[in-house]
Amino acid sequence: MEIRLAISNDAKAIADVASALGYQNTVSEERAIKRLERLLLSSNDKVWVAEFNGQLIGWLHAQHAFLAASADFIEILGLSVSDQVRLKGAGRALVEKAKEWALNEKIVLRVRTNDTRDGAKKFYTALGFSVAKTQSVFQFQGELVD
């Protein structure tokens, strides 16, 4: 298995793997490419992919967050591994890349997960994460623009 930074050509495969966890996959390939290219141009975002035998099997998106009133941190914003290879180490290897980034920046690494995803909570706990706080997410939905 190889872990590497994503490139624009990975966009469709990332969207396909993302659908395994219920992330929106009705997006066109063109839109998926635009989203990924925007992240690849950002100095605050990193997207890594896991490949096995030339096939993309997982991805992780992390972002360096800069806040006005508290210390920066790096946050895992998305992680998905193909159903066929789940529990084979790809997720762990991807998270290790985010950990390395946070250690190099000398800041904490965070991740949020839906409280109903017990498997995700166990996964992150096994990787050394601990619950820092519980919160509610509020959302306002005006006209949607993707």
Side-chain angles (χ1 to χ4, degrees):
M1 176 174 35
E2 177 190 359
I3 306 297
R4 62 170 174 77
L5 287 169
I7 58 173
S8 344
N9 290 347
D10 295 324
K12 171 118 175 52
I14 287 171
D16 291 345
V17 171
S19 67
L21 283 183
Y23 291 101
Q24 178 185 5
N25 73 336
T26 56
V27 66
S28 70
E29 186 170 352
E30 179 183 333
R31 174 59 68 193
I33 291 168
K34 284 183 181 178
R35 285 180 178 171
L36 181 58
E37 285 178 343
R38 184 172 52 229
L39 296 174
L40 297 178
L41 291 173
S42 167
S43 59
N44 300 329
D45 291 90
K46 291 190 187 275
V47 180
W48 288 277
V49 296
E51 278 188 333
F52 184 71
N53 290 335
Q55 180 180 351
L56 192 143
I57 59 169
W59 59 271
L60 181 143
H61 170 209
Q63 182 180 70
H64 188 150
F66 297 93
L67 305 176
S70 59
D72 334 350
F73 56 88
I74 291 174
E75 183 169 11
I76 295 171
L77 298 177
L79 168 64
S80 188
V81 174
S82 175
D83 287 335
Q84 295 84 8
V85 295
R86 201 156 292 141
L87 302 174
K88 304 270 194 238
R92 176 182 294 271
L94 288 162
V95 170
E96 288 303 319
K97 287 297 185 182
K99 283 182 172 181
E100 287 173 21
W101 187 23
L103 287 170
N104 287 338
E105 297 292 323
K106 296 180 174 47
I107 58 178
V108 299
L109 174 64
R110 291 184 180 168
V111 63
R112 301 170 208 235
T113 184
N114 190 316
D115 204 40
T116 63
R117 293 194 175 190
D118 292 329
K121 292 189 284 187
K122 288 177 186 172
F123 171 75
Y124 288 113
T125 300
L127 293 179
F129 290 79
S130 60
V131 175
K133 73 176 180 180
T134 304
Q135 66 185 70
S136 297
V137 175
F138 295 86
Q139 181 170 302
F140 171 78
Q141 188 168 321
E143 268 191 58
L144 293 179
V145 177
D146 190 354

